[in-house]
Amino acid sequence: MTNATADAELLANVHPPDWINPVAQPMYDLVVLGAGTGGLVAAAGAAGLGAKVALVERHLMGGDCLNVGCVPSKALIAAARAWHGARHATAFGGPVAQGAGDFGAAMTRMRSLRAGLSPVDSAARFRSLGVDVFFGDGAFVGDRELTVGTQRLRFKRAVIATGARATVPPIPGLEGSGYLTNESIFSLESLPPRLLVLGGGPIGCEMAQAFARFGSVVTIIDRGERLLPHDDADAADIVRSALRRDGVTLEFTTTVEGIERQGSAITLACVRGEERFRVTGDALLVAIGRTANVDGCGLDAAGVAHDARGVTVNHRLQTSNRRIFAVGDVCSPLQFTHSADFQARLVLANALFFGRGNYKSLVTPWCTYTAPEVAHVGVTPATAAKEGIAIDTITIPFDDVDRAVLEGEDTGFLRIHLKSGSDKILGVTIVDAHAGELIGEAAVAITNGLGLGALGKTMHPYPTKVEAYRKAADQWRRGKLTPTVKRLMALWFRWFR
């Protein structure tokens, strides 16, 4: 499949060029503004329950996740991982890989896979589910009404699911530099020889490592003192080392004062303390965060409170207009696809059936898909200290786990934070090639109130990395053998003889 064919197939699903909006019904039980993950789940769920539902999207159904986020980025990361594995196969007795690789082929594969997944989020599918799908700029014009094109959609309840976009900082010269964001980097067809990445968060780290493995000379510039500031510091340190091994240059505590473009070269004027220096590349990726999409939605007309962080919601995800709710990146500090999904499910109960579900009670894991991956769920030591929660921490390094050693993936760790004096799991961080898969067991445990002792009693196949949980449980049990307990055990065994 060619790039043009794949892109045409994608567009035919997520924003058909010949789509004709339906005639609006007199009243909808639910109107959903935004067809990203949260909006799609809310619309499909409500329609499945028999509600009259309208779904409004200004651009592409599937939102960031399908089009410019999770799907294309993970396809690209998988390709970069395969290239890296080929180059390092000699460590396992494999053949020597030669050649630069075909970046265009990797991008074509990504486009083809994205198009193949798009029918699930397509306009045609949602129409078949009974949802009235409208393309156009939707905006509230009252507390129970919004417009799209020339039509007015009246509703009993509404959900705002407009998502977020890449934050663009006010750096002189940036606008004319031809910079990239997650919304444009996946349209590249040739590999930039030198890539500059502004921001050392998850997106910046993932793309920096992937492009370095493809062969770009990559530099990350960040104002902070380390990568991944919201993750465990030890985990971030391992990722830093991994990026450096892959050839990524890291410039921390650095501010960009200005940007110049001369021909194909982009130069950043940087300041670090008293030092001033310049960094030049052929492409610039801006990845410093996300900004909620609230502009042009008519939120003031609907009486929906909002600020620079997005739509303001209560614990039920209800806005200041009691008939309107919000889900996903537009209102949540946890801007993940799976978070939007579960928030949408909760909102259906709260909006349509007088539910009282609290979105803050959702247990939300997350993962950064570098190599190794960094995954986390629950509290961190910082949040525990802030909330006055005493914790006990157990760390199992993966060089103590046989499967990790055999795979050559033994630089990470499993770290479990327990409520002090108990086996109640409050938080878990994992650094491993498959941390995103391994964190699921911890999420199940926290969600269902299973302690570390319960995980330790569960038999896991050998050899697998998930055995690290059993090792952690063994370590916890050994910690319960206080000197008093040991003396009592010694008395028991003397008597038992």
Side-chain angles (χ1 to χ4, degrees):
M1 182 181 293
T2 65
N3 288 342
T5 302
D7 290 347
E9 181 180 325
L10 174 71
L11 196 63
N13 283 318
V14 300
H15 194 147
D18 58 351
W19 187 265
I20 298 175
N21 285 342
V23 176
Q25 299 185 40
M27 176 67 72
Y28 287 98
D29 297 305
L30 186 70
V31 168
V32 181
L33 186 60
T37 297
L40 294 177
V41 171
L49 294 170
K52 294 180 180 179
V53 181
L55 177 62
V56 181
E57 172 55 49
R58 68 175 60 176
H59 189 34
L60 303 176
M61 294 185 66
D64 270 20
C65 182
L66 172 67
N67 298 288
V68 295
C70 312
V71 168
S73 68
K74 302 315 168 280
L76 211 60
I77 288 169
R81 183 172 61 245
W83 288 31
H84 182 267
R87 292 192 187 102
H88 292 81
T90 54
F92 297 86
V96 177
Q98 296 181 342
D102 188 340
F103 177 77
M107 296 298 284
T108 297
R109 173 183 179 273
M110 176 273 290
R111 284 184 159 110
S112 177
L113 293 173
R114 180 175 59 181
L117 293 173
S118 64
V120 176
D121 294 347
S122 68
R125 174 173 179 259
F126 275 76
R127 180 170 57 189
S128 73
L129 295 176
V131 177
D132 283 354
V133 178
F134 295 83
F135 285 103
D137 292 323
F140 293 98
V141 292
D143 62 351
R144 299 185 65 178
E145 191 172 29
L146 63 77
T147 60
V148 55
T150 60
Q151 300 197 69
R152 288 178 176 262
L153 279 58
R154 301 187 67 238
F155 57 82
K156 297 175 183 177
R157 296 289 186 272
V159 173
I160 301 168
T162 50
R165 63 189 183 279
T167 298
V168 179
I171 301 174
L174 177 61
E175 285 300 327
S177 68
Y179 67 91
L180 303 167
T181 68
N182 70 292
E183 296 176 8
S184 52
I185 193 169
F186 301 113
S187 296
L188 292 175
E189 296 186 6
S190 60
L191 182 71
R194 299 167 297 176
L195 176 66
L196 307 178
V197 179
L198 196 57
I203 295 174
C205 288
E206 290 177 358
M207 291 298 98
Q209 187 177 46
F211 275 77
R213 288 180 164 191
F214 285 134
S216 291
V217 176
V218 181
T219 302
I220 292 179
I221 303 97
D222 193 276
R223 297 178 64 179
E225 297 181 349
R226 67 176 179 91
L227 301 173
L228 305 176
H230 300 297
D231 281 293
D232 184 293
D234 291 341
D237 191 53
I238 292 175
V239 172
R240 181 198 64 190
S241 297
L243 263 61
R244 283 179 170 164
R245 282 196 301 273
D246 285 329
V248 178
T249 299
L250 304 172
E251 302 289 356
F252 294 121
T253 62
T254 299
T255 300
V256 178
E257 288 192 327
I259 299 175
E260 296 179 0
R261 184 175 188 114
Q262 294 182 337
S264 61
I266 303 172
T267 300
L268 277 56
C270 302
V271 178
R272 180 169 52 226
E274 300 298 319
E275 179 187 8
R276 291 181 177 274
F277 61 97
R278 299 167 77 82
V279 182
T280 300
D282 304 290
L284 169 63
L285 171 64
V286 176
I288 64 168
R290 308 276 291 163
T291 298
N293 291 324
V294 295
D295 298 335
C297 297
L299 300 183
D300 292 333
V304 173
H306 59 95
D307 56 25
R309 294 169 297 181
V311 173
T312 303
V313 294
N314 63 17
H315 68 280
R316 297 177 59 225
L317 292 168
Q318 187 178 42
T319 72
S320 52
N321 180 332
R322 69 181 183 86
R323 297 182 179 276
I324 300 176
F325 294 73
V327 299
D329 293 3
V330 74
C331 68
S332 174
L334 298 176
Q335 296 183 326
F336 309 115
T337 294
H338 48 281
S339 180
D341 181 319
F342 272 68
Q343 288 177 17
R345 296 168 191 267
L346 186 148
V347 154
L348 287 179
N350 289 351
L352 302 179
F353 299 101
F354 308 104
R356 307 297 299 179
N358 185 344
Y359 88 95
K360 293 183 179 180
S361 67
L362 293 174
V363 176
T364 305
W366 70 76
C367 183
T368 298
Y369 296 90
T370 47
E373 297 175 355
V374 177
H376 179 82
V377 65
V379 306
T380 64
T383 56
K386 184 178 180 181
E387 296 172 15
I389 302 172
I391 60 173
D392 298 326
T393 298
I394 294 174
T395 300
I396 302 298
F398 276 111
D399 61 8
D400 192 36
V401 178
D402 292 355
R403 178 62 181 272
V405 174
L406 297 170
E407 297 280 354
E409 299 169 346
D410 57 357
T411 59
F413 60 82
L414 165 71
R415 179 163 292 163
I416 300 179
H417 304 297
L418 304 172
K419 184 178 181 180
S420 185
S422 78
D423 75 333
K424 182 178 181 180
I425 301 172
L426 298 180
V428 175
T429 291
I430 302 176
V431 184
D432 180 72
H434 305 286
E437 306 294 338
L438 295 173
I439 201 67
E441 184 153 335
V444 169
I446 295 174
T447 299
N448 295 282
L450 299 175
L452 183 56
L455 296 187
K457 289 189 294 184
T458 302
M459 187 184 298
H460 296 94
Y462 175 89
T464 55
K465 293 178 181 178
V466 77
E467 252 209 320
Y469 286 106
R470 193 262 303 162
K471 287 179 174 287
D474 289 347
Q475 184 172 319
W476 169 74
R477 288 194 184 94
R478 287 193 295 270
K480 294 174 66 177
L481 291 174
T482 64
T484 299
V485 172
K486 288 181 179 179
R487 284 195 299 272
L488 291 173
M489 294 296 290
L491 289 172
W492 162 258
F493 285 118
R494 268 201 299 272
W495 175 86
F496 183 74
R497 291 194 201 92

